[in-house]
Amino acid sequence: MIRQCVQRALLRRRPSPPHLLRGQFVVPFSSLPRPPFDNDRDRDRASSRSFSTFVSSSSSSSSSSSSNRFQTRRPNPASGALTLRRSLGISRHPDPLVPDEDRSLNTRADDDDDVDDDDVDDDGEGTLTSLGSGKRKKALVTADDLELADVWDQSGDDDDDDDDDDDGEYRDIFGDVFASSSKSSLSKLSLVKDEVELSPLARQNLKFEEIHRELDKRKGRLWEDSWVITEDEWTSTDTVDDMEDWNPNLATRKSLESVKVFDGGVPTLNQLSALPLPPQPPPHPGHGTPAIHAKHRKLHVRTRLRTAIQLAIHDDLLRILQMTEWRQKQEKVDELFEGIEEKVREREPILAKLPEFGELVERGLEDVLEMVQARMKGVGKKSEGEVRETTDSEVETNEEPTDRERLVDVMNVRGEPVVPIFMDLAAAAKQRSDTLSEFFSRSNEAGVPNLVYPLNVHHNEGVGRMVEEWELAANKETKRIMMREAIKDVAEKIVEATEGSDKGAARVMVVGKRGVGKTAALAGIVASARVSGHIVAYFPDGDRLRRYGYYVEPSSHREGLFDLPEIAKEFCTELSAAHGSDVSSMTASKERMQKFLTDGQIDRVFRRRDEASDGDASDAATEISLDKLLEIGSGSTSLSSGCYCAVIDVLMNQTEKPFTVAMDEFNCYYDHGHYTHMDFDPTAYTFMPLNKITIFKPFLEAMGLYPSVAGTNIVDESEGDTLMKWGSVIVAISDSKAVKTEFDNALVASARALAKTERSPVHVVDVRRFNPLEVQHILYNYEVTGVGRLRFDRGDTALNPEEVAYLRMVSGGLGQPLLNACMLP
């Protein structure tokens, strides 16, 4: 593209041919006679015209006045080359990573003995060395010289005459005139042109190859990229329909074997809380917690040293366990301490450079021996893995060699490595069809499984990027979410609160940086909770709910509160579609409905129920089932808010089935308000907090977060215990929405403050970036499901350690940038 721009610029301002400029006077503009001018623009125009006229007249009279010729010193070619480089916007600095002998630099001949006399000008300055000289130093052609030569060949040198090529005079795009002879950087290509007669296209291809070869040496990546679109690719008429169809057989065996999917598709909350999953990396030190990162690094160093120590003393330790006399054991242990430092130094040459390496190794050997002794007594440390209870007599007899191996392997070196596991929502809909409702066994029009309903892709904004990965995948038969330690922690908090004889409720807040997978974590919890039999109210788009409520009106029965009738109808429709069959056995009495509806509205509700059931005698006159109440609310704007609030009140105060509320983009509820009404503020200038709106009030009060800084004046107005009797409230904040960081920090701080309360604490779960193992398995999954450029590369990306490290570096271990990087070729 740069080359085409230069060529077009040269066509618009074509320089004079070299043979017209041969031997002409080079006179500065200041010495030319100038007429008076009225303004600067006339002066500039006249200067350009007088200069072209002067050059033409000088060239026509050069033959008659040859005796009066004199040649002034011409400008240095390097200045014009530098100008052209700047105009092209190309950086040609030598790569410091390339060895000196491989650098393509033009150097002046410093040794006078190695330079011919013809290559020294009158001033004694050495010229640039040329290709093909016998005694001269070999000069390599750089990309700069080839770029200059390419511009000159396509602009000023139209003739292939040898005389013109030898002269070497040319003009750059700014009109600088360069001298002939070997001083020009083009002289390096003169011998190549003279020795072989090449067509213009062949010479151009040769220059391109030299440029690409030079640029390839300067790259830091250890593989090659295609720099040129070939002629076949330009003229190709293939369309998308002509491309090869993707099939699962295109994935490599390594990727297929590495990706583990949970048997059954989606685990229950109990199963999820017990899964062995790789730990999260520490928080980034640049995020304000360097002490935690430093502590993790020290622990990582100790773990690596203990692993190296175990491998170094493995055979000696087995022989010590077989000894019966205490004196022999003590002598062998002393020998271990004497030679352990050198053995570990060979295994860890990088850590061996630590100043306290000897002390760390000696302390690590003591820890390993203590852990082996504790395993012999059956009191092994929980942090080092599973402990097998072994009696002293069993150790002394040593009847089973496998038992001795298990005792020695305190660092779990020979154990099965812990790898990430994926849940498959599409597989769960098929394999759990006997336990799931028919609605959860299907998917919507966009292919999103109903297990995470109403999660979908909004036309304008959307919620996270998790659904986008499913859309971009070639395999439409699987919808996977990686189960991570953060999801496991959330499941543990829910299980601790809801399982057992004492039924209770859990409050969990999911936090993390943008793109780490908070939406995916919340969606995974929703799917697992529904598989576990929970009734789930899922609100994935909090930013839309707090802004686009259509209209707000005062509540007809609850003074000081306001309704969003259209949003309430939407909530009734979603809850009825997802859990209508689960709530059909629950009922709402007239006394409970009187808290949210007037007497006239209650009569209308029962009248509509009777009309829909054709006067069924089995329907009670004082209570109504929750599924019918949701159906009535979804069909009436005036009754939707009261019906929905009555259903939520029943679900939060029952112990028949656990009730879980999941709210994404929760920080948007504490941003600047968007709803106002004259009954709230006569001037309609003040926006109401969302706990003044009936459909949001029970959830905000159940979470119980009232930060010191918020967009609206949100205060605690709850009465009594507002938390549900059996279930959980799971919320997640979003960094991708336009919420002030000050509001987010205050909200998280209020949650951490409530984490210290004894009754119903708020658990804060931090979702961090992917660790290297998780990045590797994400790439395996992309190849298996056919995402982006991994669809047809047959393992070139996922099996290349340099490429995997590069993708992890450019993405920062975040899900969204990693997906973007995998989409680019």
Side-chain angles (χ1 to χ4, degrees):
M1 184 179 66
I2 296 175
R3 186 175 294 104
Q4 293 175 356
C5 295
V6 173
Q7 292 173 1
R8 293 192 176 185
L10 290 171
L11 291 177
R12 290 195 298 269
R13 183 182 178 184
R14 191 178 184 85
S16 301
H19 64 275
L20 296 180
L21 296 177
R22 188 184 300 118
Q24 299 304 320
F25 303 109
V26 181
V27 183
F29 289 149
S30 59
S31 62
L32 298 178
R34 300 181 180 179
F37 303 105
D38 295 335
N39 50 50
D40 294 339
R41 187 164 62 179
D42 295 339
R43 182 184 299 108
D44 295 338
R45 292 178 178 176
S47 298
S48 60
R49 289 197 299 270
S50 62
F51 175 70
S52 60
T53 306
F54 171 76
V55 172
S56 301
S57 61
S58 300
S59 61
S60 62
S61 60
S62 59
S63 59
S64 59
S65 58
S66 58
S67 59
N68 295 329
R69 290 180 184 174
F70 67 94
Q71 182 68 40
T72 61
R73 187 185 179 111
R74 296 191 173 105
N76 187 358
S79 62
L82 181 60
T83 304
L84 182 56
R85 294 173 199 172
R86 288 197 299 266
S87 66
L88 294 176
I90 301 174
S91 176
R92 294 293 189 247
H93 296 289
D95 191 348
L97 300 179
V98 179
D100 294 339
E101 58 273 11
D102 295 337
R103 294 185 184 177
S104 298
L105 294 177
N106 285 328
T107 58
R108 292 183 179 274
D110 297 330
D111 191 359
D112 295 339
D113 298 336
D114 295 338
V115 182
D116 294 342
D117 296 337
D118 297 338
D119 293 331
V120 182
D121 58 6
D122 299 337
D123 297 334
E125 296 182 357
T127 61
L128 297 174
T129 57
S130 304
L131 293 174
S133 301
K135 297 182 180 180
R136 301 170 186 170
K137 294 182 179 179
K138 184 178 179 181
L140 300 178
V141 182
T142 63
D144 297 330
D145 306 323
L146 295 170
E147 287 282 2
L148 292 174
D150 180 49
V151 172
W152 171 238
D153 284 349
Q154 297 184 25
S155 60
D157 192 6
D158 294 339
D159 300 330
D160 294 334
D161 189 6
D162 295 339
D163 296 335
D164 297 339
D165 294 338
D166 294 337
D167 291 337
E169 293 183 353
Y170 64 96
R171 180 197 299 261
D172 71 351
I173 61 176
F174 297 103
D176 293 336
V177 180
F178 296 100
S180 59
S181 77
S182 60
K183 292 184 180 180
S184 172
S185 59
L186 295 178
S187 61
K188 299 180 180 181
L189 300 177
S190 60
L191 293 178
V192 178
K193 295 180 181 179
D194 294 341
E195 291 177 0
V196 182
E197 282 294 336
L198 299 176
S199 63
L201 180 60
R203 290 202 305 270
Q204 184 179 10
N205 292 336
L206 179 62
K207 295 169 186 175
F208 287 164
E209 293 176 2
E210 292 293 339
I211 293 174
H212 301 158
R213 193 177 298 110
E214 172 69 20
L215 295 179
D216 285 335
K217 291 182 180 179
R218 302 183 181 184
K219 294 195 308 178
R221 298 169 71 179
L222 305 180
W223 61 95
E224 294 182 356
D225 292 331
S226 56
W227 288 87
V228 178
I229 300 177
T230 62
E231 191 68 21
D232 296 338
E233 293 176 346
W234 277 115
T235 58
S236 176
T237 59
D238 294 340
T239 62
V240 178
D241 297 333
D242 299 327
M243 294 178 61
E244 178 185 6
D245 293 335
W246 180 88
N247 61 82
N249 297 328
L250 294 176
T252 58
R253 179 178 58 86
K254 176 65 174 177
S255 298
L256 293 173
E257 294 177 353
S258 300
V259 175
K260 289 189 175 182
V261 181
F262 184 80
D263 187 15
V266 176
T268 63
L269 291 174
N270 281 323
Q271 294 172 336
L272 179 57
S273 62
L275 282 178
L277 298 174
Q280 292 190 115
H284 196 279
H287 295 163
T289 55
I292 299 178
H293 186 271
K295 181 179 179 180
H296 171 81
R297 292 299 302 174
K298 293 179 181 179
L299 178 62
H300 178 68
V301 170
R302 290 198 299 266
T303 303
R304 287 186 58 178
L305 288 177
R306 290 177 182 176
T307 303
I309 291 171
Q310 176 188 319
L311 295 175
I313 68 173
H314 177 266
D315 297 337
D316 296 333
L317 200 54
L318 289 179
R319 286 191 292 267
I320 292 175
L321 292 178
Q322 294 177 357
M323 296 178 181
T324 57
E325 296 184 3
W326 179 86
R327 183 183 300 274
Q328 294 179 349
K329 292 183 179 181
Q330 185 63 42
E331 292 178 355
K332 287 295 183 181
V333 171
D334 294 339
E335 293 179 1
L336 290 180
F337 277 93
E338 292 176 358
I340 188 61
E341 184 174 348
E342 293 300 326
K343 294 180 180 179
V344 177
R345 189 183 301 275
E346 295 177 358
R347 293 181 177 272
E348 296 290 346
I350 304 299
L351 296 181
K353 299 183 182 299
L354 293 173
E356 65 277 8
F357 177 72
E359 299 178 2
L360 291 175
V361 171
E362 184 176 353
R363 195 180 310 144
L365 179 57
E366 293 178 358
D367 295 339
V368 171
L369 294 178
E370 289 178 358
M371 287 187 287
V372 173
Q373 186 179 13
R375 282 199 172 191
M376 293 173 62
K377 297 180 180 180
V379 204
K381 296 182 179 180
K382 295 182 180 180
S383 60
E384 300 301 337
E386 182 183 359
V387 178
R388 179 183 182 275
E389 296 185 0
T390 309
T391 61
D392 295 338
S393 60
E394 191 174 276
V395 175
E396 292 177 358
T397 56
N398 295 317
E399 296 179 355
E400 295 293 337
T402 56
D403 293 340
R404 294 197 300 269
E405 291 286 347
R406 186 177 302 175
L407 288 174
V408 174
D409 190 15
V410 292
M411 301 304 298
N412 198 25
V413 176
R414 292 175 173 81
E416 185 177 356
V418 178
V419 297
I421 304 176
F422 292 84
M423 67 169 62
D424 193 344
L425 305 185
K430 299 177 182 179
Q431 300 178 14
R432 296 181 179 270
S433 58
D434 53 339
T435 57
L436 292 176
S437 64
E438 182 181 357
F439 177 79
F440 290 141
S441 301
R442 301 194 306 266
S443 300
N444 61 10
E445 297 178 355
V448 180
N450 286 342
L451 266 178
V452 291
Y453 178 82
L455 181 65
N456 205 344
V457 179
H458 194 269
H459 295 291
N460 297 325
E461 298 178 0
V463 285
R465 298 285 294 277
M466 183 193 65
V467 178
E468 182 181 5
E469 176 186 331
W470 296 344
E471 291 183 327
L472 296 174
N475 190 353
K476 302 299 182 183
E477 301 299 325
T478 179
K479 309 295 180 184
R480 298 176 180 175
I481 300 176
M482 175 184 284
M483 291 182 285
R484 307 176 60 193
E485 190 179 34
I487 304 179
K488 177 182 176 181
D489 293 342
V490 176
E492 287 179 353
K493 304 305 180 185
I494 299 176
V495 171
E496 290 175 1
T498 58
E499 298 295 330
S501 57
D502 297 334
K503 297 180 180 180
R507 295 186 291 179
V508 183
M509 170 176 279
V510 180
V511 300
K513 297 298 180 181
R514 179 176 182 177
V516 295
K518 299 185 294 295
T519 298
L522 201 62
I525 289 296
V526 169
S528 181
R530 282 173 170 166
V531 170
S532 303
H534 288 222
I535 300 174
V536 181
Y538 185 23
F539 309 103
D541 47 357
D543 187 50
R544 180 184 68 89
L545 298 177
R546 59 108 178 200
R547 290 194 297 175
Y548 305 131
Y550 300 99
Y551 64 93
V552 60
E553 63 182 14
S555 176
S556 58
H557 187 62
R558 307 169 70 182
E559 184 179 358
L561 300 181
F562 298 85
D563 294 336
L564 293 176
E566 295 295 333
I567 298 296
K569 286 179 59 178
E570 179 182 328
F571 285 178
C572 290
T573 302
E574 293 173 354
L575 190 58
S576 175
H579 297 281
S581 58
D582 296 328
V583 300
S584 59
S585 59
M586 304 178 188
T587 58
S589 62
K590 283 188 176 182
E591 290 77 14
R592 186 179 295 274
M593 295 172 63
Q594 287 176 354
K595 296 170 53 179
F596 312 101
L597 298 168
T598 62
D599 293 338
Q601 291 176 333
I602 295 175
D603 294 339
R604 289 173 55 195
V605 168
F606 280 91
R607 192 182 313 115
R608 292 197 177 194
R609 183 202 63 177
D610 297 337
E611 293 175 356
S613 60
D614 296 332
D616 191 354
S618 61
D619 294 335
T622 58
E623 58 184 19
I624 184 174
S625 61
L626 296 188
D627 60 333
K628 295 182 179 180
L629 192 58
L630 289 174
E631 291 179 1
I632 295 172
S634 61
S636 174
T637 302
S638 59
L639 300 177
S640 58
S641 296
C643 292
Y644 185 76
C645 291
V647 171
I648 295 299
D649 187 69
V650 172
L651 292 176
M652 296 184 70
N653 291 279
Q654 53 84 33
T655 56
E656 183 179 345
K657 291 183 179 180
F659 178 51
T660 297
V661 179
M663 306 178 71
D664 201 358
E665 302 175 359
F666 187 69
N667 54 332
C668 295
Y669 296 99
Y670 294 84
D671 193 19
H672 296 289
H674 289 263
Y675 301 121
T676 186
H677 197 275
M678 294 185 63
D679 288 355
F680 179 76
D681 180 19
T683 62
Y685 286 156
T686 305
F687 295 98
M688 64 184 68
L690 293 188
N691 64 342
K692 292 286 187 179
I693 298 179
T694 55
I695 57 176
F696 300 137
K697 182 179 177 64
F699 307 132
L700 297 179
E701 290 183 350
M703 198 63 192
L705 298 180
Y706 301 97
S708 58
V709 181
T712 57
N713 186 23
I714 182 170
V715 294
D716 186 6
E717 298 178 354
S718 59
E719 298 178 0
D721 189 5
T722 57
L723 190 61
M724 59 194 65
K725 290 185 177 180
W726 191 25
S728 58
V729 182
I730 318 297
V731 299
I733 66 173
S734 174
D735 280 357
S736 61
K737 303 304 178 182
V739 181
K740 291 182 64 174
T741 306
E742 184 181 10
F743 298 162
D744 293 345
N745 295 338
L747 183 62
V748 176
S750 63
R752 296 188 187 278
L754 293 178
K756 303 176 182 178
T757 58
E758 296 182 359
R759 184 178 181 275
S760 301
V762 177
H763 305 281
V764 180
V765 177
D766 188 6
V767 182
R768 299 170 184 169
R769 65 189 189 279
F770 296 120
N771 59 34
L773 183 62
E774 290 174 336
V775 172
Q776 180 70 71
H777 280 72
I778 288 175
L779 296 179
Y780 286 150
N781 181 61
Y782 283 172
E783 183 182 344
V784 171
T785 57
V787 175
R789 60 188 175 99
L790 282 77
R791 182 176 298 185
F792 295 107
D793 69 347
R794 298 179 183 272
D796 291 342
T797 300
L799 302 183
N800 188 346
E802 287 82 6
E803 180 70 15
V804 174
Y806 171 76
L807 292 175
R808 183 165 61 90
M809 177 191 67
V810 299
S811 65
L814 303 179
Q816 294 180 9
L818 182 61
L819 178 62
N820 295 339
C822 291
M823 296 307 299
L824 300 175

